[in-house]
Amino acid sequence: MTTKTFDAVVIGAGPGGYVAAIRLAQLGKKTALVERESLGGVCLNWGCIPSKAFIAAGNLVDEIRGAADRGILVSEPKVDVAKLRAFKEGVVKKLVSGVGALEKGNGVEVLKGKATFVGPNAVEVDAGGEKTRIEAAAFIVATGARPIAIPGFAYGKDVWSAKEALDLPEVPGRLVVIGGGVIGLELGTVYAKLGSKVTIVEALPALLTGVDPEAVRIVQKGLRQRGVDVHLNAKAKGLDAVAGALSVRIEVDGKEQAIPADKVLVAVGFRPNTEGIGLEAAGVKLDAKGYVQVDDQLRSSNPAVFAIGDIVGPPFLAHKASKEGEIAAEVIAGHRSARDWVAMPGAIFTDPEVATVGLSEEQARAKGLDPLVGKFAFAALGRAIAIDHTEGFVKVIADRESKLLLGVTMVGPEASDLIAEATLALEMGAYVEDVALTVHAHPTLAEAFMEASKAALGEAIHAINRPERPRKDKGAAPA
Ligand code: NAD
């Protein structure tokens, strides 16, 4: 067996690992990046990127359907599934080859194969039976996560995970989605726009648990308008096939119901990929939930092994993994980096989109705070009216005394992009006045953040400022 030696080895080339490898090389480390499947990992190949290609296509279909309202007369759009799939594959290919070019350009050696720790400072890379021993002073493990499977719903031709759904084998007549979380709603919305009759089955009493319920109500309205049925408090019990016809058995309030389906998408959460990579041989400990135990510098119980991204726990977000990759690389290079960010944004690509940063109103109240809240509806914003997307709002949450910004929740058009300004504001330690006093170009959707900040101060221009209503839980809280 050949042996190779590097300063640092990164295992897994998703948005955590490929970024870590680039940063290590930039910092002068002789770096190898090991990947068993495809550069870019789940995000580029079977997650964030292909889903955005389909979501954009679904939005286009939706816009065309609604164009008559704006005096543009077109016939009902038809979807050429093969062509749409080819478009998505082109997008993925371009980005994956871009990652390859970046690694090469930075001097990273990319090794195809499966890496397994064989000791505290060595891995074995198996490339189709051909094995190489790789030794290094430091390792970054970035092996990601995979969809959880539920009993009675084995993934296959009829039961899809997000990966199969993003292969777009067909647009099924009836799609039953199990799980009303992020993936269930994003992909459920796309398939509804492309023409499927979609039914969402969620075990909990609400969709998108953890998101501001006011924002979830707007998303739920969007689903309703697109003919999506939602069953809450509904547990998926099993899949029956009678004479070739599928039906999903669900239990609501102790009673069973059957929902006919052509395909089923299961999206009930992720599980970290920590098995089968020899973490025990490397002396890397897991926590009680099965995530790799790391400190604020992403160092595991073996000081030579770092772990980043989904395997160190939620939130399962590509940009969080990338940030952790940069931090781990910098720590390995001797910098004093640490996980010390203030703001970690989240973006959910439903229709309308939801984006969050910092505390939600509910989270602030759960912490015992009585926050200052300012809200501005897109329905009152010129640009939103002009583009015919008036659904949703921006809500700012701030400390009542100091007016320090604590969080922002947005639901509405382009919320996933608009959240960047709020993220910067939080990271910079902005006060509500900072945002309210900042001139925003008119007419833009970004004005909604400025107006919501003004509203928190009772100074909104394009909405009537009303005194805060007394809250039952916190007593009167005059502005
Ligand atoms: P999720 O945790 O967002 O949602 C899973 C949902 O399934 C939950 O609401 C849960 O209550 C429900 N559920 C669980 N078991 C069930 C059952 N037997 N019957 C019915 N409902 C059931 O998980 P996901 O949507 O699979 O996404 C996986 C992870 O990836 C999440 O952490 C998500 O945040 C992340 N992700 C993020 C984005 C984004 O940020 N845009 C996109 C995709 C995925």
Side-chain angles (χ1 to χ4, degrees), residues 236-247:
K237 303 297 276 187
L239 184 63
D240 301 316
V242 182
L246 294 178
S247 89

Side-chain angles (χ1 to χ4, degrees), residues 126-457:
D126 183 344
E130 197 181 311
K131 294 187 178 168
T132 312
R133 182 182 165 88
I134 300 187
E135 294 172 0
F139 291 84
I140 298 180
V141 188
T143 46
R146 63 185 185 282
I148 294 174
I150 50 173
F153 294 87
Y155 290 121
K157 187 172 77 62
D158 293 327
V159 179
W160 296 344
S161 69
K163 187 173 181 176
E164 287 80 37
L166 290 170
D167 277 341
L168 190 70
E170 62 183 279
V171 176
R174 295 162 303 184
L175 177 69
V176 175
V177 178
I178 301 177
V182 178
I183 294 180
L185 294 201
E186 288 186 357
L187 296 186
T189 303
V190 170
Y191 273 92
K193 287 178 178 177
L194 296 181
S196 297
K197 169 70 198 170
V198 174
T199 305
I200 293 172
V201 176
E202 167 56 50
L204 296 176
L207 298 173
L208 295 176
T209 296
V211 174
D212 184 322
E214 274 191 90
V216 176
R217 270 201 292 279
I218 305 252
V219 172
Q220 211 159 338
K221 187 173 163 204
L223 290 170
R224 213 169 30 245
Q225 285 167 342
R226 289 174 183 87
V228 176
D229 290 335
V230 174
H231 296 270
L232 299 175
N233 297 306
K235 279 236 168 65
K237 303 297 276 187
L239 184 63
D240 301 316
V242 182
L246 294 178
S247 89
V248 175
R249 232 176 322 116
I250 65 167
E251 189 187 295
V252 188
D253 298 331
K255 283 191 205 113
E256 284 207 351
Q257 295 178 26
I259 310 171
D262 296 306
K263 298 287 172 197
V264 181
L265 166 63
V266 177
V268 295
F270 278 178
R271 177 190 306 283
N273 292 328
T274 48
E275 308 93 344
I277 49 171
L279 291 179
E280 326 72 44
V284 172
K285 287 198 189 120
L286 304 185
D287 67 16
K289 289 188 172 158
Y291 299 112
V292 178
Q293 227 176 62
V294 287
D295 63 15
D296 269 351
Q297 295 192 307
L298 287 317
R299 201 181 279 103
S300 76
S301 48
N302 172 349
V305 178
F306 292 71
I308 59 169
D310 293 352
I311 57 163
V312 303
F316 298 133
L317 299 170
H319 46 274
K320 177 248 187 194
S322 299
K323 185 70 198 165
E324 288 180 341
E326 289 177 297
I327 293 167
E330 288 164 6
V331 172
I332 289 169
H335 294 208
R336 291 182 53 196
S337 296
R339 285 196 290 186
D340 59 358
W341 59 73
V342 176
M344 181 58 66
I348 306 175
F349 297 83
T350 39
D351 194 351
E353 296 177 346
V354 179
T356 58
V357 67
L359 294 181
S360 68
E361 183 179 354
E362 248 188 344
Q363 286 166 339
R365 294 195 193 280
K367 276 176 168 268
L369 302 173
D370 173 25
L372 183 65
V373 176
K375 201 172 143 190
F376 189 82
F378 282 106
L381 197 70
R383 179 66 180 273
I385 296 168
I387 63 167
D388 199 20
H389 282 289
T390 52
E391 60 286 354
F393 58 81
V394 172
K395 191 192 263 192
V396 303
I397 295 98
D399 180 76
R400 186 171 292 280
E401 297 306 317
S402 67
K403 305 206 173 28
L404 181 71
L405 205 54
L406 299 175
V408 179
T409 294
M410 300 178 169
V411 55
E414 313 298 343
S416 61
D417 280 314
L418 297 179
I419 202 68
E421 186 192 0
T423 307
L424 183 66
L426 250 81
E427 194 64 43
M428 301 292 286
Y431 292 83
V432 173
E433 293 97 326
D434 293 321
V435 183
L437 289 169
T438 301
V439 179
H440 283 62
H442 178 74
T444 61
L445 296 171
E447 288 173 281
F449 181 34
M450 174 187 69
E451 286 277 14
S453 301
K454 287 180 189 282
L457 303 169

